[in-house]
Amino acid sequence: LIICDILCSGSDVIEPSTKRVKPLSRVTSLVNLIPPGKATPLKRLGQTLQCSISFRNESRAEIMPSRPWGRQAPPAISKRRDSKLWSETFDIHLGTLLSSRELKRQEAIFELSQGEQDLIEDLKLAKKAYHDPMLKLSIMTKHELNQIFGTLDSLIPLHEELLSRLREARKPDGSTEHVGQILVDWLPCLDSYNSYCSNQVAAKALLDHKKQDHRVHDFLQRCLESPFSRKLDLWNFLDIPRSRLVKYPLLLREILKHTPKDHPDNQYLDEAIRMIQSIMTEINMKTGESECRFYKERLLYLEGRQRDLLIEQSRIITCHGELKNNRGVKLHVFLFQDVLVITRAVTQSEQLWYQMHHQPIPVHLLEYVDLQDGEIRLGGSIRGAFSNIERTKNFFRVSCHSGGQLQMHSFQASDTFNKQQWLNCLRQAKGAVTVATGNVDPAGQIPSQQIPFPSPSGSAVTAESTEQSNSESLDCCMDTSEGGAASHNTEDSPGALGQP
């Protein structure tokens, strides 16, 4: 803590960048993925990089809740690094000789260079202000810190190299003529991001777990209240490399946009954009597989029949998150590419696990329907028309008819957007399985032999007809099942990393 205070008060403190990276496009996912702080967004792995592993996409951390052992400190004034423009940094009487397009090109190149400098300072700050003090004060073990920080140290030299090349290419008057060849030569180095991004899921889980330790909590809270943090927590700093990676295509397109067609950089920039997109696709795939393995290892099975080969064979999670059933019970639902898994989050040995709550539902047998507000029955007794309308909003229902048994679950999402995300994911998963199995007619319609989903206004299904198992019959009757709606359990879980 003393070290942290010194960092806060020292005049030579390296401050992190104030520029936060915006996602490339509207998050529909992994991704980010990213909505109000308390209503945790749906995690979709299709946009792993775009969505922060916090998972998913908040650029600013919530202030950690106060603990009985935590001290109360007055809020500190956040230090900010002034953003700079190329035209403001150099003596640009030269600007009168440049066209408007060339001025914009120079600004875009300078933004790329300045962003590298800010990134390097942020990564060094994460090591200096968080990693090293926690190691010296034995707040965490070296092994734990290595798991949380991953290969962050190895990323710093990569970006220092690019920054050095960009500065060498800068003329005495501050202008830069060529950057395309520099980028084409440097971009292959970003393959190193594979291991860093793949480790983020496990790193986030361990960091959340360690925050339960009052020494860790107090240290991170002290840093959060300090000027150098700009009210960003440790995970925000650890997620900066992913955010920077997502921004490269935007930066390169902006430079290309203002580069004349006959300029030598034009061809190189086109190639660089293709390279970064290919690199990001590869990183997304590896990150998605890593997240899938992580959650499969966290599943707890109550009985042998809950084990499903489709789970073991899954390589990706289409989406997952926390939903409520119509009794208000929170469940964590995973949609793997071929199977829907309904669980309840439990804590064992201070670790978060996901206990199987119902029999897994193969996607090819799954049917779903959107329920109108007020249509669901609450608690198996009162119809929506006579209940609090707020409690009966944003429901959808899934069912599976197999072996003469009908399994049915009603899920409530946190809001309309979240529900629509789930419905989109279910539709896409069904479509992918249908195409993969060739079980579709020329008109694109699902064959008639598939079990249609019963009309939500149809007759109620009894517990006996819904589930034959005595242990599950109460939970799985229509409108009263404990099917859950998915949401993230991590405190700032961005969706999983999302695809660009």
Side-chain angles (χ1 to χ4, degrees), residues 352-381:
L352 188 63
W353 299 81
Y354 301 93
Q355 186 179 81
M356 299 291 287
H357 195 52
H358 292 291
Q359 191 69 15
I361 301 176
V363 170
H364 72 279
L365 296 177
L366 181 147
E367 300 296 335
Y368 65 93
V369 66
D370 186 3
L371 299 178
Q372 298 298 315
D373 291 346
E375 189 171 349
I376 191 68
R377 179 195 301 172
L378 295 176
S381 58

Side-chain angles (χ1 to χ4, degrees), residues 438-445:
N439 195 22
V440 60
D441 65 19
Q445 300 297 321

Side-chain angles (χ1 to χ4, degrees), residues 326-372:
N326 57 339
R327 296 178 178 179
V329 176
K330 293 182 180 180
L331 299 174
H332 200 97
V333 181
F334 296 88
L335 178 59
F336 294 90
Q337 70 249 41
D338 295 319
V339 61
L340 183 75
V341 177
I342 303 169
T343 71
R344 294 185 72 169
V346 297
T347 302
Q348 291 188 4
S349 302
E350 298 184 348
Q351 296 285 344
L352 188 63
W353 299 81
Y354 301 93
Q355 186 179 81
M356 299 291 287
H357 195 52
H358 292 291
Q359 191 69 15
I361 301 176
V363 170
H364 72 279
L365 296 177
L366 181 147
E367 300 296 335
Y368 65 93
V369 66
D370 186 3
L371 299 178
Q372 298 298 315

Side-chain angles (χ1 to χ4, degrees), residues 386-405:
F386 301 97
S387 62
N388 185 346
I389 188 63
E390 293 298 325
R391 296 178 57 201
T392 60
K393 284 185 175 181
N394 305 317
F395 272 91
F396 63 97
R397 185 183 294 143
V398 301
S399 71
C400 170
H401 199 164
S402 177
Q405 296 185 2

Side-chain angles (χ1 to χ4, degrees), residues 81-86 88-89 107 110-111 114 117:
R81 178 192 293 120
D82 293 334
S83 60
K84 297 180 180 179
L85 298 175
W86 177 75
E88 297 173 348
T89 304
E107 291 289 2
F110 184 74
E111 182 180 358
Q114 190 65 28
Q117 178 178 326

Side-chain angles (χ1 to χ4, degrees), residues 53-55 61 64 67 130 134 139-140 144-145 147-149 196 199-213 216-217 219-220 233-239 294 298 350-351 490-492:
I53 268 190
S54 3
F55 254 42
M64 285 181 281
R67 300 291 180 89
Y130 292 93
M134 286 193 287
I139 294 176
M140 287 194 205
E144 290 170 335
L145 289 170
Q147 284 184 290
I148 291 173
F149 284 78
Y196 183 79
N199 179 64
Q200 279 195 297
V201 177
K204 182 65 169 61
L206 178 58
L207 179 59
D208 288 340
H209 168 63
K210 292 302 296 182
K211 286 179 181 178
Q212 303 306 311
D213 183 326
V216 175
H217 177 274
F219 177 85
L220 296 180
D233 68 6
L234 172 57
W235 182 254
N236 291 124
F237 284 98
L238 295 178
D239 194 48
F294 175 82
R298 290 297 182 103
E350 298 184 348
Q351 296 285 344
T490 56
E491 65 179 5
D492 49 338

Side-chain angles (χ1 to χ4, degrees), residues 10-266:
S11 60
D12 60 343
V13 173
I14 300 177
E15 301 173 20
S17 169
T18 59
K19 296 180 69 176
R20 310 314 306 165
V21 174
K22 297 181 180 179
L24 290 180
S25 61
R26 180 181 64 84
V27 175
T28 59
S29 133
L30 17 158
V31 52
N32 228 320
L33 310 318
I34 304 183
K38 294 186 178 179
T40 313
L42 167 68
K43 295 183 184 178
R44 293 183 58 187
L45 300 192
Q47 293 182 343
T48 300
L49 287 175
Q50 259 185 318
C51 287
S52 164
I53 268 190
S54 3
F55 254 42
R56 231 79 62 129
N57 22 340
E58 299 153 40
S59 61
R60 293 190 174 271
E62 292 184 7
I63 301 297
M64 285 181 281
S66 59
R67 300 291 180 89
W69 55 76
R71 66 177 188 85
Q72 297 296 323
I77 299 176
S78 297
K79 291 184 178 180
R80 292 181 175 274
R81 178 192 293 120
D82 293 334
S83 60
K84 297 180 180 179
L85 298 175
W86 177 75
S87 56
E88 297 173 348
T89 304
F90 299 96
D91 184 15
I92 309 299
H93 53 274
L94 173 67
T96 60
L97 305 177
L98 299 179
S99 67
S100 174
R101 184 176 189 181
E102 181 61 24
L103 281 172
K104 291 178 180 178
R105 181 172 181 270
Q106 293 301 323
E107 291 289 2
I109 294 173
F110 184 74
E111 182 180 358
L112 172 65
S113 176
Q114 190 65 28
E116 292 300 302
Q117 178 178 326
D118 293 344
L119 171 65
I120 293 166
E121 293 178 357
D122 285 349
L123 298 185
K124 288 182 176 180
L125 178 66
K127 178 173 173 57
K128 179 180 178 181
Y130 292 93
H131 178 282
D132 293 351
M134 286 193 287
L135 180 61
K136 291 178 181 178
L137 297 175
S138 299
I139 294 176
M140 287 194 205
T141 66
K142 183 176 181 180
H143 178 69
E144 290 170 335
L145 289 170
N146 286 342
Q147 284 184 290
I148 291 173
F149 284 78
T151 58
L152 182 141
D153 274 352
S154 68
L155 303 181
I156 297 176
L158 300 181
H159 294 281
E160 287 179 330
E161 179 183 358
L162 176 58
L163 179 59
S164 175
R165 293 185 186 183
L166 292 173
R167 286 177 171 173
E168 289 174 1
R170 187 179 295 161
K171 298 178 181 179
D173 61 11
S175 65
T176 302
E177 183 67 21
H178 302 286
V179 294
Q181 183 69 64
I182 293 174
L183 292 167
V184 169
D185 292 341
W186 176 79
L187 283 173
C189 298
L190 292 181
D191 285 338
S192 300
Y193 269 72
N194 267 312
S195 57
Y196 183 79
C197 291
S198 296
N199 179 64
Q200 279 195 297
V201 177
K204 182 65 169 61
L206 178 58
L207 179 59
D208 288 340
H209 168 63
K210 292 302 296 182
K211 286 179 181 178
Q212 303 306 311
D213 183 326
H214 73 88
R215 295 187 69 214
V216 175
H217 177 274
D218 287 350
F219 177 85
L220 296 180
Q221 184 67 32
R222 173 75 70 93
C223 291
L224 190 63
E225 296 167 351
S226 301
F228 73 82
S229 74
R230 302 188 329 275
K231 298 193 183 302
L232 301 177
D233 68 6
L234 172 57
W235 182 254
N236 291 124
F237 284 98
L238 295 178
D239 194 48
I240 284 175
R242 178 205 58 80
S243 300
R244 181 64 178 174
L245 194 62
V246 170
K247 194 174 184 182
Y248 280 124
L250 288 177
L251 292 170
L252 300 191
R253 288 192 186 99
E254 186 67 15
I255 297 174
L256 178 60
K257 176 181 176 181
H258 302 296
T259 300
K261 296 293 184 182
D262 58 350
H263 194 289
D265 261 4
N266 200 281

Side-chain angles (χ1 to χ4, degrees), residues 271-324:
E271 183 180 356
I273 291 172
R274 289 193 296 270
M275 290 175 66
I276 187 61
Q277 289 174 333
S278 176
I279 291 170
M280 291 174 65
T281 298
E282 175 70 13
I283 293 175
N284 272 324
M285 182 183 71
K286 296 291 181 62
T287 302
E289 292 175 353
S290 175
E291 183 163 11
C292 185
R293 287 194 301 271
F294 175 82
Y295 283 111
K296 286 196 296 185
E297 292 170 358
R298 290 297 182 103
L299 294 177
L300 296 178
Y301 297 90
L302 297 178
E303 49 189 40
R305 74 186 185 96
Q306 291 179 333
R307 294 185 177 275
D308 195 307
L309 186 60
L310 292 176
I311 298 177
E312 299 303 319
Q313 294 175 341
S314 294
R315 296 182 60 191
I316 63 170
I317 303 176
T318 303
C319 63
H320 70 101
E322 181 185 280
L323 298 169
K324 294 179 181 179

